[in-house]
Amino acid sequence: MATAAASQVSLSAPVGSDRGVRSSGVKGGNNISFSNKQWMGATLTWERKSTWPRHANKVLCMSVQQASKSKVAVAPHHLENAKEPPLNTYKPKEPYTATIVSVERFVGPKAPGETCHVVIDHGGNVPYWEGQSYGVIPPGENPKKPGAPHNVRLYSIASTRYGDNFDGKTASLCVRRAVYYDPETGKEDPSKNGVCSNFLCNSKPGDKVQLTGPSGKIMLLPEDNPNATHIMIATGTGVAPFRGYLRRLFMEDVPNYKFGGLAWLFLGVANSDSLLYDEEFTNYLKQYPDNFRYDKALSREQKNRNGGKMYVQDKIEEYSDEIFKLLDGGAHIYFCGLKGMMPGIQDTLKKVAEQRGESWDEKLSQLKKKKQWHVEVY
């Protein structure tokens, strides 16, 4: 599996497997189904509890925004001091033993499959930057290498460097449970289910998890220009790194980074029940209408202009003139999700470029050269 440092990540693992894959969640295939903290006043600190109520992360983020128009205090501030991102602090042969804080299903009953928000306590010992990934080594023996541990699975981190507790000691993952159904019998075959995704989704507070990393540079959020434009395109759990970006831009009171630009998120999922972190994003839209835009592509509920299913590339085409003008002005554009999203998006961008009398190949080359193009698919 290519690392996050590559300009584009590709995948050769069999469909439905999470063996050795990068994943903001887990990829799917034809036979795959992806099946209390309290606010403490003006200091914005947390009272730790061993478990959260279901959907707590959604309620929590709503309460943050409703409690005050001011941003959330974060610490320790020395996390801002590093000039380069941390890389591979812990390696597969010597992983870090972290602790599960909470695991919450956070999609509705009509969502196809199950997606969980997993909060992990690393004690401040495995720091990371927004857009990086952790490796997870699930417990048990590698079936292909008897006596050896499982291969590392990579997951995009869905929180800022300060974590969901704003204290620099946790990280969050957005994990879609991979479940295999036999195409002939229609019955679940647990022996083929995603090893790591099911381990994480089944974990309980206090369980231990082996971490490696952090890894990746291609999806780091450029902060040299606080007034830059960031266009984010995600499918499903590919929204994970963008959730981290947006918390940093709009939720947290970061001492040396005040965002005044435009963040524009396109999120493609199956239906309304499948939307991830929707309350957070909707609140940013209400509070920062001049700095945030949020467009959803719901393939099972919306139709594109031709009457077909609405996918992210259809939304991109809808706003193509505006997007191209922003790119010409130096905007960064990010893609994260299933690798199957990219051909349709590339075709749409090529068609729009040709309509504008431009060469898409030349334009793409320039975007990459200027480091405006960020792709991480799995």
Side-chain angles (χ1 to χ4, degrees):
M1 178 70 206
T3 67
S7 61
Q8 179 164 326
V9 180
S10 59
L11 180 65
S12 58
V15 170
S17 162
D18 64 356
R19 293 180 173 85
V21 306
R22 153 169 305 287
S23 184
S24 310
V26 177
K27 67 184 187 309
N30 292 336
N31 300 321
I32 295 294
S33 170
F34 293 95
S35 24
N36 183 356
K37 300 189 177 183
Q38 296 178 342
W39 195 247
M40 299 286 289
T43 57
L44 307 181
T45 58
W46 296 110
E47 174 184 341
R48 181 178 294 276
K49 292 187 178 180
S50 60
T51 60
W52 293 358
R54 193 160 297 279
H55 301 298
N57 59 302
K58 289 190 172 185
V59 175
L60 177 63
C61 297
M62 289 285 282
S63 68
V64 168
Q65 296 296 322
Q66 291 168 352
S68 171
K69 286 288 186 180
S70 61
K71 293 186 176 182
V72 183
V74 293
H77 288 167
H78 69 72
L79 293 178
E80 301 293 322
N81 295 341
K83 301 300 182 185
E84 294 291 331
L87 286 172
N88 302 312
T89 307
Y90 288 89
K91 296 178 173 58
K93 290 186 178 180
E94 294 183 344
Y96 179 80
T97 302
T99 304
I100 298 290
V101 175
S102 62
V103 178
E104 301 295 335
R105 174 190 170 99
F106 73 126
V107 290
K110 295 181 181 179
E114 180 177 29
T115 304
C116 295
H117 182 75
V118 182
V119 180
I120 299 171
D121 186 344
H122 60 81
N125 297 308
V126 197
Y128 57 89
W129 283 9
E130 298 73 27
Q132 289 193 299
S133 301
Y134 271 165
V136 176
I137 304 176
E141 186 176 280
N142 188 331
K144 294 185 177 180
K145 298 179 181 179
H150 281 290
N151 293 334
V152 172
R153 276 73 165 177
L154 291 174
Y155 289 84
S156 298
I157 299 172
S159 52
T160 74
R161 66 194 69 185
Y162 296 101
D164 282 12
N165 287 12
F166 310 108
D167 61 3
K169 295 182 179 180
T170 69
S172 300
L173 305 180
C174 179
V175 183
R176 193 172 184 182
R177 185 192 294 273
V179 180
Y180 178 86
Y181 289 95
D182 187 283
E184 295 183 1
T185 66
K187 294 183 179 180
E188 181 182 341
D189 183 351
S191 67
K192 296 182 181 179
N193 287 349
V195 174
C196 199
S197 66
N198 282 273
F199 160 66
L200 288 169
C201 289
N202 291 336
S203 295
K204 302 292 187 293
D207 287 353
K208 300 302 179 182
V209 56
Q210 301 294 307
L211 297 180
T212 67
S215 63
K217 284 187 174 183
I218 191 63
M219 294 294 283
L220 293 178
L221 181 68
E223 297 187 357
D224 54 325
N225 177 8
N227 297 316
T229 295
H230 303 280
I231 303 168
M232 298 160 278
I233 294 141
T235 57
T237 55
V239 77
F242 305 142
R243 192 243 185 181
Y245 294 178
L246 294 171
R247 286 172 76 90
R248 185 163 176 85
L249 300 180
F250 298 125
M251 182 181 284
E252 298 179 344
D253 184 11
V254 182
N256 58 350
Y257 181 58
K258 308 299 180 185
F259 182 64
L262 173 66
W264 192 352
L265 173 65
F266 292 86
L267 175 58
V269 293
N271 55 25
S272 298
D273 272 19
S274 303
L275 287 167
L276 306 175
Y277 309 110
D278 188 53
E279 287 91 340
E280 284 188 40
F281 303 153
T282 301
N283 267 325
Y284 302 148
L285 196 60
K286 292 176 182 177
Q287 293 199 31
Y288 303 96
D290 295 332
N291 303 98
F292 183 54
R293 295 175 67 172
Y294 179 29
D295 283 278
K296 311 166 193 178
L298 309 178
S299 61
R300 299 188 185 181
E301 294 179 5
Q302 298 173 332
K303 299 294 184 183
N304 61 26
R305 64 178 64 182
N306 297 319
K309 292 183 177 181
M310 178 70 79
Y311 295 109
V312 285
Q313 60 263 36
D314 299 309
K315 282 290 179 182
I316 292 170
E317 185 173 9
E318 186 178 332
Y319 294 102
S320 58
D321 283 342
E322 202 170 349
I323 290 172
F324 269 64
K325 288 176 183 176
L326 290 170
L327 291 174
D328 290 342
H332 290 270
I333 190 164
Y334 312 79
F335 304 87
C336 190
L338 295 172
K339 66 177 180 179
M341 71 187 273
M342 289 309 296
I345 289 173
Q346 289 267 29
D347 288 345
T348 296
L349 293 172
K350 183 177 182 179
K351 181 173 69 173
V352 171
E354 290 174 350
Q355 291 171 350
R356 293 166 57 91
E358 300 180 55
S359 164
W360 172 243
D361 290 340
E362 290 180 9
K363 193 172 191 69
L364 178 58
S365 177
Q366 285 300 308
L367 291 172
K368 291 179 177 179
K369 184 177 180 180
K370 296 177 181 178
K371 299 182 178 179
Q372 295 173 245
W373 183 263
H374 311 262
V375 178
E376 192 160 88
V377 292
Y378 41 89

